[in-house]
Amino acid sequence: DIIKPKALIALGSESTFAIINLFKAENPELEALAKSNFKDVFKNSPIRLNEELVLYPMYHPSNLGVNNRNKIEVEKRERMYYNNEDWGKVRVNNE
């Protein structure tokens, strides 16, 4: 209740469906997503959980997640990675 995030990033299907199931009572539109497979949920991202919160489901970074991630469409996969320009803006230790 103290922390009010505007976005959640879920790694993998189990955490994604756990979050969807928590919010489906508040948002009946999530009922269909809760019954679908992870690939369809991922394609429909970002998912609005309520007026203030958005869910970004991601494939888990484990080997299984990597194998599944390689099966998705190229245009969706490209959205998951930062391009070189974005990485160049990252600063470590306030340098």
Side-chain angles (χ1 to χ4, degrees):
D1 290 334
I2 294 172
I3 299 172
K4 302 281 186 194
K6 295 182 181 179
L8 294 176
I9 299 173
L11 296 178
S13 62
E14 291 196 25
S15 59
T16 297
F17 287 115
I19 293 169
I20 289 173
N21 285 324
L22 284 173
F23 284 89
K24 72 180 181 184
E26 183 180 331
N27 184 353
E29 295 174 5
L30 297 175
E31 186 70 39
L33 281 178
K35 295 178 181 177
S36 65
N37 63 40
F38 183 73
K39 183 178 178 181
D40 292 335
V41 173
F42 183 79
K43 285 181 182 179
N44 289 314
S45 68
I47 299 164
R48 177 133 325 258
L49 298 172
N50 59 29
E51 299 83 28
E52 303 165 352
L53 189 57
V54 177
L55 173 64
Y56 292 92
M58 302 297 286
Y59 279 89
H60 196 278
S62 70
N63 286 337
L64 179 61
V66 171
N67 292 338
N68 288 333
R69 183 169 47 244
N70 291 333
K71 297 176 186 174
I72 63 176
E73 295 83 14
V74 172
E75 67 273 3
K76 188 68 173 186
R77 187 171 64 232
E78 288 174 352
R79 286 181 46 197
M80 292 174 31
Y81 297 103
Y82 290 105
N83 62 34
N84 290 336
E85 184 178 314
D86 292 331
W87 284 113
K89 294 176 187 175
V90 174
R91 300 286 179 241
V92 179
N93 297 332
N94 297 326
E95 293 177 1

